[in-house]
Structure formats: C-alpha cells, structure tokens
Amino acid sequence: MLPQLYRLRYTFLLITALACVLLWPGVKSALVVDNSLTVWFLKNDPALIPYRTFQKYFGNDEVLVLVVKDKKSLLSQKHFDAFIQLSRKLEAIPEVAGVIGPGNARVGGSGAFGPAAQPLLSAHTDTLQVKRTLAQQSILRQQLFSSTYKAARFLIVLKQLPDFDTRRGDILERIRYTIAGTLPAHTYHLGGVGVIFAGLNKLSQQDFGFFLGIGYLLMFLLILFIYRKPLLLVYALGTVALATYLTLGIYGALGYRLNLMTTLLPIIIILLGIMDVLHVLNERTQLTSDQFEPKEAALAALTHVFRPCLFTSLTTMAGFLALSVSPMAILQTFGMFAALGILLSFVFTYLLGILLLPLSKPAARATATANTRMGSLLQLVQERQRFFILLSLGLVGMSIAGVFQLKSDTYTLGYFPKNHLVVQDHQAMEAAWGPYMPLELLVQPKNGRRLDDKQVVQAAVAFADAVRQLHGVGQVFGFQSLYQAGLQARFKEKGTRMLQSQFYLTQVQKQLTTDYPALTRQFIHAPTQTGRITIFGSMASARQLSAKMDTLLQLSAVTLGKVATVTPSGYQPMYADIVQYVTSSQVNSLLLSLVLVFLLVWLFIRDLKLAVLSVLPNFFPIILMLGFMGWMHIYLDTATASIAAIALSFCIDDTIHFIYHYQRVRKQGKTPADAQRATMQHVGPAIVITSAVLFVGYGLMIFGSLKTVELFGTLTAVAVAGALYSQLFIFPLLLKRFDR
C-alpha cells in the first residue's frame, strides 16, 4: 500500500492544501468561545423543558445583578441622581429588556381619584420622605436597598436574542462601560450567571492560545533535542498542525464553538498525535545500516509500525468516542472531535512521512546505550520480582482505598482563579448585600384557580416565609410579593390582614400593571396564569443546590401543594443535574471504553490470553488516578468525568507496540525471556520517550487559568506515570508468569 501512496503523495498534498483553504472560515468560527447552556445539555434533555418554558414566559433568565454600596448611606440626592441616570442609560442599551432598581422604581399610593403610583426617586426627592415610604412598604424596600441603606441592588434583565450566546461578551462589556461612566469606581460590583459565562469564555480563549503555543514549543524542543534534524522537526510539527487545523475547521463548519472542554483539543491532538510520529522515528532509527537508502529506510519504518500505530489510534479514538454515552453534550462533542483529531494525526503521520522522511538520512546517533539500559531494567525487574510485586500490590491497595473516598460535585466559581474579578465581585456582593444568586420556581394554580385567589396568594406567602428560614437563603420575591406590596401601599400596616380578603386582592390585581409594570411583567404571565417566585441564595455547588431544591419542593408540597404545582426552572436546576450526569458519564464511558479497547486489542493480537494480559496491567493507571483523586479530595465533575475512559484508551498504546514486537520475535522461535529482552530493547526507548512527552505536556496544564484544565492535566499526568510503571514493571512480570 505504501508504494502506491508514495506515488500519489503530491496528489494527497494538493487535496490537503485545498481542504485547508476551504475550512479556513470554519477555523475562524470555531475560535469564538461559547460556554452557555446550549453546549452543556443535549437538545432533547428533559431538563430543558422547564428552562425553555421560563424563557417563553419571562424572557432571558440571565439576569445581571448590580450591587452599589456606600460605607455611610445611599440615601442622598447625589446617589439618587446617579441611580436615575444609570437606569435610563442601561434601558437605552438595545439588548437590555429592562432594569429593576431604585432608579426607576415606582411606589403605590392614593391620589384624588383613587390609587396612584409615582416614581420613588426624582430630581428633587426628599430623602427623609423616601426613607418613610420604604419603611411603610417593606416588601419593596427589600428589593431595592439593604436594611442599613448602605447597599442597593439593580436587576438588569437582558433580551432573549437568537444570537445572544455569541454576543454575550460584547453586551456585558457595553453594560460595564455604561456603569463605569455613571458610578464611581470601587462602589459597585456585577454578578450573575451571565457574568460567570462571560468570564469562563475569556479564560477558555486565553487557555486555548496558551496551550496551543506551549504544545508546539514542547514538540519543537523534543524533536530538536532527540533527533537534531530540521526536516524531522517539520515532519512532527506538520503532522499535528494539520490535524489540529482541519479538526478545528470541521468543528467550526458544523456550527460548534470552543468551550471549557474543547479548548483542550489542540494540546490533546499535539500530545497524542505525536505518539505515532515518535514510534515511526524510533523504528527508523533502528534501521541505521549502510544497506538502507533513505527512501528504503523511511518506507520500511512506516511499514513496520503501520499495524500497531493503526490500532493504537483506534484504541485512543475508542476512549474518546466512549464519551458518546454521556448525557452531557459538552462531553459528547469533546469526545467526537478529539477522536477526529487522533484519526487525522494518524493520516498525516503517513502522508507527511512518505513526503519528508525519504529526504532525510537515517539518524546517525547510536541507540545501543538506550537499548542496553532498557535490557538492564528488565533484568532488574525479573531478578527482584518479589519486591516489585509487593510494591505494585501496595500501590493498588492504597489506590482502591482512595477510590472509596471519591465524591461527585461541581462548583462553577471553583473553575476560576481565586483572584479573578468574577470571584472578587461575588465575595464583595455577598458581603454588602447577602445571598444574591437567583433560583427560579414557576407556580401554576390547580383546578381552574387564578394567581390572585386568596388561597394561592396566602400559600405562596407561607412558602416564602418558610424558605427564608433556610440556611444560605436571602430574599424571596415572587408574584405574591406584588400583592403584598400593593396592599401595603394602600393600607400601610393593615395590608397584611387584607391578604384574607378576595375583594381587595382582586382590586390590587387590577392595579399591578399600573403601579408596578416592570415587576408585573417579570413575575406574572397573565395568559397562562403562571407565577414566578425567585429565591436569592448563596452560590452553591451542584450537590448543595440539588439538596436545597429537594428541600424547597418539600416545603412547596406542604404549603402550596393543595392549590398549585411548583416547578424548578431557569438555569440553576439544570446546574444541579450535573452531579447525576457526571456520575453516569464516568461509569458508562469507562465501561464502554473498556469493552471497545479490549475488543480492538483482541482483534489486533488474535490471542485471547495475550489480549487479557495486555489489558489487565492498564487498569493500574486508572485505579491509581482515581485513588489519587480520592486521597486529594478532587471531585468528579465536568473536567474529571471523562478522564478514566480517555486514560485507558491511550495508556494501552505502548502495550500494543510492545506486544506487537513481542509476538514477532516469539514467532521467530525465541524463548519468552529472550523475546521480552529483545522487545524491551527495541520499543522500550520509544515507550519512555512517549510517556515523558505525555507527562510533561499534561503536567504543563497546571499553569492553565481554568481549574478544569488544571485538573485534567494533573490527573492525566498521574495516569501516564502509572501507565509507564505498569508497562515497565507489571506487564513484564505478567508475561513471565503466564506466557511460558
């Protein structure tokens, strides 16, 4: 096959160049970062139903929370003027649907012709009158000011736009610019789900550029140090560069954007794609004799390692494709395109190999020293097998103990560096205002009731009062709060008792759109009689949030269960589901990866006993990595849920190369001991080099900005170290024991 490929090498090169030109728009499109919910969840995920229902009724759920603070008091005309001006400027931004805050708040009251609403603040507001008004209308005051009046809150509601996810960063920057032009620096903080998404997008883009550069620098130094031939450097870098470029081009052409996981694609393709190149170059180095011309040596090396390189690429692809059983779209997409990158790396290993390797003479550097050292290491293992058996059993025992300490959880703020602006703003907002992250509930009255029925309103008030007693909960505001505010405006301190009257509730219902138009649109969907209750709580991990939601549903069943149906909605319930998704992703993908890898190894070796012996030691790096996670209290989350399946797939690569050469030598009539020594001397140097490359490459991920990147790199490096140990120490002992 290779001679035919050699004759068509320039044709394939032309096709590659044409593909690069055609896919350039896709590459540019792929580099736009998007970490929104659309990349996390599958389109048919049941969790999206209440989320989309919320958006249909109440618009975009990504509400930005702005907290303004003053050490003394915000009750001054200077602050009032700034609040009014800020509200007008923000509402003038085309992408902003509305602003709920003290600058444009309206308060109910009584006029000459009945109930009348008026602005809370104006150009000549009496400060004491504002304080008296808010004291009489405590429901409204809780939404605008803290109890000490040293902090105020604005809710910036964004429009539901078809291209919102790609424009989020620009919209947020415009809002920040508007705020900075109105309020003094260090007197405000911005938070919310949208702020977190935008922050993750920036860090993802930053890490993408960093690891793209560091990956190529690592390859450059490695090839230059080992082989010291510029043409071999072009071969190695060209292979992974073309694979990366075409993968990103196809990725973008299909409408995908970089996210928390796919930002790792370049470094994964570089590190795993270079493995075949290194095995080809190692094989070519073994052919350094005068009887080989450069072309013959190149084609012979490519031919000798074709079959093991093909199967190592297939097993690695299988590990990534095993993520297809994950219920999370972000992992499915990551696995699919990582597998594509590995396939393209294999293709270009051979395409560029037949183009460039014949132009360079085989390396003149002797490999006798490396071969001798690998033979000596094998002899040491066999002479002291009792020690290495006990050491291996001890490591396995400790790792299994660590596995039992594993827990699954996700904390979005934990993805950021501790000194990041998003984290600092979050801490400042909770200190000045208290819990501010919104958790949305939708309330649907039962049996033909309406939201203004006194039984529904009273039950909602009882529910809100019960929720406020929970730890980590701040304010609760919902449709029932509007009725309370309306009654307070008309009846002052007697307003609470008027909740018992259906007549007055009906009268208030008629005035809501006049007195509180913005709030009414946000909390009551009149056509379907659906009410919204927002619970402002502390930033929580997915596990904590899931437990809190269970408690909320229990409280709603007791208070609202007879008169209404309560459904968690918006972003946070979906975030809570990630715990369940992460666990199933880890288990299902690992099992599928194991099955696929074993079948491929069996197909490759065509010997059941040797296939079992080949796969068995590769459990060691997986157990070691999971045990390390347990002992270091690293949770299973989005970043770590996929590592076990992936690690298993590429840890077995060196085993495949080892067993392939071992079988060839055994068929030549050598004893198992001699075959092991010959194999270790032949492929051992490449195994050590590839493991060192993977360990250093993934180890460099600790310098990533995102915690997901840091954890992925650290744990993969641990798995690589475990794989090298199992290949050099465990696998030879198994072969000696069972292949006699």
Side-chain angles (χ1 to χ4, degrees):
M1 183 184 74
L2 286 181
Q4 291 84 353
L5 187 62
Y6 180 78
R7 286 195 295 269
L8 297 173
R9 62 193 184 281
Y10 294 116
T11 302
F12 287 115
L13 183 62
L14 181 62
I15 294 173
T16 301
L18 181 62
C20 289
V21 173
L22 294 176
L23 287 174
W24 171 240
V27 173
K28 292 194 296 183
S29 179
L31 298 183
V32 178
V33 182
D34 179 16
N35 280 304
S36 63
L37 282 177
T38 55
V39 306
W40 290 76
F41 295 90
L42 299 172
K43 292 182 179 180
N44 58 350
D45 194 314
L48 286 172
I49 297 175
Y51 176 74
R52 289 169 179 158
T53 300
F54 179 90
Q55 290 185 325
K56 180 180 177 181
Y57 291 171
F58 300 107
N60 198 332
D61 73 312
E62 288 189 28
V63 176
L64 302 179
V65 183
L66 172 66
V67 172
V68 185
K69 61 183 183 181
D70 189 290
K71 293 182 179 179
K72 296 181 180 179
S73 175
L74 291 172
L75 295 180
S76 71
Q77 191 62 50
K78 178 185 71 173
H79 288 108
F80 294 166
D81 292 342
F83 292 165
I84 295 171
Q85 184 182 11
L86 177 62
S87 296
R88 289 173 180 171
K89 287 183 177 180
L90 289 174
E91 290 178 329
I93 297 175
E95 295 81 7
V96 173
V99 177
I100 300 173
N104 61 354
R106 296 171 63 85
V107 293
S110 300
F113 301 98
Q118 58 187 357
L120 174 66
L121 306 179
S122 65
H124 305 286
T125 305
D126 185 335
T127 303
L128 293 178
Q129 180 59 42
V130 170
K131 192 171 184 178
R132 283 195 295 268
T133 300
L134 293 175
Q136 295 172 347
Q137 300 190 32
S138 58
I139 299 296
L140 186 62
R141 195 276 303 162
Q142 292 172 5
Q143 303 309 306
L144 304 178
F145 293 95
S146 64
S147 58
T148 61
Y149 293 98
K150 293 181 179 180
R153 185 187 65 183
F154 292 77
L155 300 178
I156 305 170
V157 183
L158 303 176
K159 291 182 179 178
Q160 185 68 27
L161 304 172
D163 57 348
F164 177 77
D165 289 332
T166 58
R167 296 178 56 195
R168 181 189 292 104
D170 293 335
I171 295 171
L172 189 59
E173 285 301 314
R174 194 176 303 120
I175 290 173
R176 287 189 183 276
Y177 179 80
T178 301
I179 297 171
T182 309
L183 301 177
H186 308 298
T187 64
Y188 63 88
H189 303 280
L190 193 64
V193 173
V195 173
I196 292 174
F197 282 155
L200 291 176
N201 288 349
K202 281 189 174 181
L203 289 181
S204 297
Q205 203 157 28
Q206 178 180 320
D207 278 352
F208 175 82
F210 173 76
F211 288 115
L212 189 64
I214 204 70
Y216 283 110
L217 177 62
L218 178 64
M219 292 304 102
F220 178 86
L221 296 176
L222 171 75
I223 303 300
L224 200 61
F225 174 75
I226 297 176
Y227 299 104
R228 304 187 183 182
K229 287 184 177 292
L231 197 61
L232 299 184
L233 183 64
V234 173
Y235 171 47
L237 294 181
T239 296
V240 293
L242 285 172
T244 304
Y245 181 92
L246 293 180
T247 300
L248 290 177
I250 297 171
Y251 181 81
L254 292 176
Y256 293 100
R257 305 291 182 268
L258 286 179
N259 55 55
L260 277 173
M261 293 302 298
T262 55
T263 191
L264 298 173
L265 283 177
I267 192 69
I268 285 176
I269 294 173
I270 291 170
L271 293 176
L272 297 182
I274 203 71
M275 297 297 100
D276 289 340
V277 172
L278 292 176
H279 279 288
V280 169
L281 295 180
N282 176 71
E283 185 68 23
R284 189 167 180 267
T285 304
Q286 306 288 339
L287 303 176
T288 55
S289 69
D290 296 336
Q291 62 183 2
F292 285 103
E293 294 294 331
K295 175 185 173 182
E296 294 174 349
L299 294 182
L302 288 166
T303 302
H304 289 173
V305 298
F306 176 79
R307 195 161 179 267
C309 283
L310 172 63
F311 274 86
T312 55
S313 296
L314 291 175
T315 54
T316 305
M317 290 172 61
F320 283 104
L321 291 175
L323 298 180
S324 62
V325 298
S326 169
M328 302 176 68
I330 192 171
L331 292 182
Q332 288 192 9
T333 305
F334 172 64
M336 177 172 59
F337 285 96
L340 174 62
I342 300 303
L343 175 62
L344 290 174
S345 295
F346 172 76
V347 171
F348 287 112
T349 295
Y350 277 81
L351 176 59
L352 294 186
I354 62 172
L355 276 167
L356 300 177
L357 290 184
L359 304 178
S360 176
K361 292 182 179 181
R365 299 181 66 196
T367 58
T369 301
N371 293 346
T372 301
R373 288 176 178 173
M374 297 308 300
S376 300
L377 177 62
L378 178 62
Q379 183 178 352
L380 174 66
V381 173
Q382 292 176 342
E383 289 176 352
R384 306 189 63 182
Q385 59 179 333
R386 183 180 179 84
F387 168 79
F388 287 108
I389 290 174
L390 292 176
L391 176 61
S392 301
L393 291 175
L395 290 172
V396 169
M398 288 184 60
S399 299
I400 291 175
V403 170
F404 284 104
Q405 300 186 49
L406 268 177
K407 296 179 180 178
S408 60
D409 203 358
T410 294
Y411 182 54
T412 307
L413 274 186
Y415 294 159
F416 291 90
K418 293 182 180 179
N419 60 348
H420 195 276
L421 177 63
V422 171
V423 178
Q424 293 178 342
D425 274 346
H426 160 73
Q427 293 171 343
M429 290 172 70
E430 287 209 330
W433 181 265
Y436 70 90
M437 284 298 291
L439 170 60
E440 307 291 355
L441 300 176
L442 297 184
V443 178
Q444 187 75 49
K446 293 180 178 179
N447 303 324
R449 297 179 186 270
R450 296 177 54 83
L451 286 176
D452 61 341
D453 283 357
K454 67 177 183 179
Q455 291 90 347
V456 176
V457 175
Q458 291 170 9
V461 171
F463 171 71
D465 290 341
V467 170
R468 291 188 186 96
Q469 308 305 313
L470 299 178
H471 176 72
V473 172
Q475 299 174 2
V476 180
F477 193 89
F479 72 95
Q480 81 288 349
S481 306
L482 294 174
Y483 295 109
Q484 289 179 292
L487 291 172
Q488 278 188 352
R490 295 183 64 181
F491 300 106
K492 304 300 185 286
E493 65 277 358
K494 297 180 181 179
T496 302
R497 288 185 298 181
M498 297 303 177
L499 287 172
Q500 310 294 328
S501 170
Q502 184 62 60
F503 172 78
Y504 288 116
L505 282 172
T506 303
Q507 294 302 309
V508 168
Q509 167 68 33
K510 296 177 182 179
Q511 288 295 123
L512 286 182
T513 54
T514 302
D515 293 351
Y516 312 107
L519 287 171
T520 302
R521 286 194 302 271
Q522 286 297 311
F523 288 91
I524 295 178
H525 187 252
T528 60
Q529 282 297 292
T530 301
R532 169 185 172 188
I533 297 178
T534 303
I535 299 167
F536 295 94
S538 300
M539 183 75 75
S541 70
R543 183 174 292 277
Q544 292 170 334
L545 186 58
S546 181
K548 183 175 291 184
M549 284 175 50
D550 290 341
T551 302
L552 292 175
L553 291 177
Q554 291 173 5
L555 289 176
S556 69
V558 173
T559 54
L560 279 158
K562 294 181 179 180
V563 295
T565 301
V566 178
T567 307
S569 189
Y571 163 76
Q572 300 236 44
M574 299 177 67
Y575 172 59
D577 287 340
I578 290 178
V579 172
Q580 177 186 346
Y581 289 174
V582 162
T583 304
S584 62
S585 294
Q586 181 73 281
V587 174
N588 295 339
S589 62
L590 180 58
L591 289 176
L592 180 58
S593 178
L594 173 62
V595 172
L596 293 176
V597 167
F598 177 76
L599 291 176
L600 285 169
V601 171
W602 189 8
L603 178 64
F604 172 70
I605 298 175
R606 298 178 184 176
D607 184 314
L608 181 59
K609 183 173 69 173
L610 278 180
V612 173
L613 289 179
S614 299
V615 173
L616 195 59
N618 287 283
F619 283 117
F620 175 78
I622 307 305
I623 296 173
L624 182 70
M625 181 191 67
L626 295 176
F628 178 82
M629 290 178 63
W631 286 116
M632 299 302 294
H633 305 292
I634 298 173
Y635 289 129
L636 284 172
D637 67 0
T638 310
T640 59
S642 60
I643 293 182
I646 295 171
L648 175 64
S649 69
F650 67 74
C651 284
I652 203 165
D653 287 3
D654 288 333
T655 307
I656 289 177
H657 282 280
F658 188 98
I659 204 68
Y660 176 73
H661 193 271
Y662 178 81
Q663 276 188 311
R664 287 175 57 189
V665 177
R666 288 283 279 125
K667 289 177 181 179
Q668 294 172 5
K670 290 191 177 183
T671 64
D674 290 340
Q676 275 208 54
R677 176 176 292 275
T679 301
M680 186 66 79
Q681 290 176 338
H682 188 86
V683 302
I687 290 175
V688 173
I689 291 173
T690 54
S691 297
V693 170
L694 289 175
F695 183 83
V696 174
Y698 283 110
L700 287 173
M701 288 187 179
I702 63 172
F703 299 109
S705 303
L706 287 166
K707 194 71 174 179
T708 53
V709 173
E710 178 186 337
L711 290 176
F712 189 93
T714 301
L715 296 176
T716 307
V718 170
V720 169
L724 180 61
Y725 176 88
S726 69
Q727 189 63 44
L728 297 181
F729 300 100
I730 298 177
F731 191 43
L733 295 177
L734 287 174
L735 273 180
K736 182 181 179 181
R737 172 67 179 84
F738 293 102
D739 187 29
R740 296 182 177 180

